[in-house]
Amino acid sequence: MNKINRKSLVILLCCLAVLGIAFFLIKAGPAKKNNPGFGPGAKGGRGAPAENIVIVRTETAEKKVLHDYVNTNGEIESKVSVDVFPDIGGKLYKSFVSLGSTVKKGDALAEIDPSEPGAYYTHSGVFAPVSGTIIATVLDTGTKVTTQSVITTIGDVSDLQLKVKIVERYVANIKPGLKAKVKLTAYDDEVFDATVAKVSPVLDSSSRTKEVILDFDRKDSRINAGMFANVKLFTVDYSGKVAVPSSCIVTKGKHNYVFAVSKDGKAAVKKEITLGKSVDDLVQVEGIEEGERVVVEGMSVLTDGSLIREIK
């Protein structure tokens, strides 16, 4: 190959190299400029973080009536009951009835032996002063009694009431007519309705409680005298304000907040609230309007303006 041909070949290769570099720059330049996956202003693709959207659960804020209540225990008893006393002191010689026995007025219930050592006296009978059912265990045979000893009690088991004691701090709100839900140990899945009939006018100074009598709203053969009852006695209703779950409230120092959903439904709006009355897991609040959607799950990672997506 002569010098002229070698020189021509070198020039040709250089031209091809320049053309290749130019072609690459032409192709790469527009792509880098127009491809949204590259560069500091990109919104997606490699080289830029995706927008953070928080999944939240929401509820619509509503005005709700909060029913405050007192939990207590009580015992079911006959409304009408009469204690039976002997006419003479001595020893209970024999009993003719037992718990649950039905008796009529004048029936013999027991005999008392008034004899003293070295002397013998005729046994004295104890008789039913009224008709009804024996609702208290009869004293054991051989028990020494006086004319002040209660041998047993007779009551009307078809007409029952519930007696409870309310501690002093709650008595200001207790009055006749209040409603209650009653659960019995024997029927744990059943709820019986009752109403306050009487409230004692005095406070027991030793127990610091007030006695309250409730009547069952309807008779039920399953309810028996002597049964133990758990009572949920409703006292005061709080109404007229928006109530939200207490779990959705975020507290920082002396300030309380909730996160509401923006009008376009895309962002969380931090709102400071004032707390009112609370019952169980609901709290009355000021600062949220009725109808606004409030975040009830996921608020712990939110800030004002966070992008959100709601789920039900």
Side-chain angles (χ1 to χ4, degrees):
M1 182 179 294
N2 56 37
K3 292 182 178 180
I4 295 175
N5 290 338
R6 184 179 293 116
K7 185 176 180 179
S8 298
L9 180 61
V10 170
I11 293 172
L12 178 61
L13 291 175
C14 290
C15 290
L16 290 173
V18 170
L19 290 173
I21 293 171
F23 179 79
F24 175 79
L25 291 176
I26 291 172
K27 295 288 290 182
K32 187 173 183 180
K33 180 179 180 181
N34 298 322
N35 188 349
F38 293 86
K43 294 184 179 180
R46 294 178 298 172
E51 293 177 312
N52 292 321
I53 297 179
V54 181
I55 307 300
V56 298
R57 191 179 301 278
T58 63
E59 287 184 7
T60 301
E62 299 176 347
K63 289 183 178 179
K64 299 178 181 179
V65 179
L66 306 187
H67 305 286
D68 207 357
Y69 61 90
V70 175
N71 280 324
T72 187
N73 300 316
E75 188 171 302
I76 298 169
E77 60 183 23
S78 174
K79 278 188 179 182
V80 179
S81 61
V82 177
D83 292 333
V84 180
F85 300 91
D87 293 329
I88 193 172
K91 184 185 297 182
L92 184 64
Y93 175 73
K94 183 185 294 185
S95 63
F96 305 110
V97 293
S98 59
L99 187 64
S101 297
T102 300
V103 298
K104 293 181 180 180
K105 182 178 180 179
D107 285 352
L109 305 180
E111 285 185 0
I112 303 297
D113 180 4
S115 300
E116 296 290 339
Y120 175 79
Y121 298 91
T122 303
H123 293 175
S124 174
V126 179
F127 303 96
V130 294
S131 298
T133 302
I134 302 298
I135 60 174
T137 304
V138 181
L139 293 180
D140 294 332
T141 301
T143 303
K144 289 185 177 181
V145 297
T146 69
T147 55
Q148 302 301 314
S149 302
V150 178
I151 302 298
T152 187
T153 303
I154 301 173
D156 181 1
V157 295
S158 65
D159 194 9
L160 302 174
Q161 64 184 20
L162 174 59
K163 182 187 292 184
V164 301
K165 293 184 181 297
I166 304 298
V167 296
E168 184 175 7
R169 63 180 296 189
Y170 299 119
V171 299
N173 295 321
I174 306 301
K175 58 186 178 182
L178 294 179
K179 296 296 183 179
K181 298 292 184 181
V182 181
K183 297 188 75 173
L184 307 177
T185 304
Y187 307 102
D188 193 48
D189 295 331
E190 292 284 340
V191 177
F192 303 89
D193 295 320
T195 304
V196 174
K198 299 177 183 178
V199 179
S200 173
V202 297
L203 187 81
D204 187 323
S205 59
S206 59
S207 64
R208 312 307 304 176
T209 61
K210 216 173 212 189
E211 187 174 273
V212 176
I213 303 297
L214 298 95
D215 289 339
F216 288 96
D217 290 355
R218 63 183 182 86
K219 292 185 178 181
D220 193 311
S221 60
R222 294 173 296 177
I223 304 175
N224 303 145
M227 281 185 168
F228 181 80
N230 293 307
V231 182
K232 188 175 188 178
L233 176 58
F234 296 100
T235 55
V236 182
D237 287 345
Y238 305 116
S239 60
K241 293 185 178 181
V242 169
V244 299
S246 57
S247 58
C248 77
I249 298 172
V250 179
T251 301
K252 290 186 177 180
K254 296 181 180 180
H255 302 280
N256 297 289
Y257 306 90
V258 296
F259 285 95
V261 179
S262 62
K263 291 182 179 181
D264 61 8
K266 295 181 179 180
V269 180
K270 185 178 180 181
K271 292 195 169 186
E272 185 168 359
I273 57 171
T274 302
L275 304 183
K277 299 292 185 179
S278 66
V279 176
D280 292 336
D281 62 342
L282 290 176
V283 183
Q284 289 184 331
V285 297
E286 294 182 1
I288 292 292
E289 297 297 326
E290 186 175 21
E292 286 192 83
R293 297 197 305 284
V294 176
V295 177
V296 295
E297 289 184 22
M299 55 278 171
S300 61
V301 296
L302 294 178
T303 57
D304 192 28
S306 293
L307 298 180
I308 60 172
R309 185 164 76 239
E310 298 178 71
I311 60 173
K312 294 182 179 180

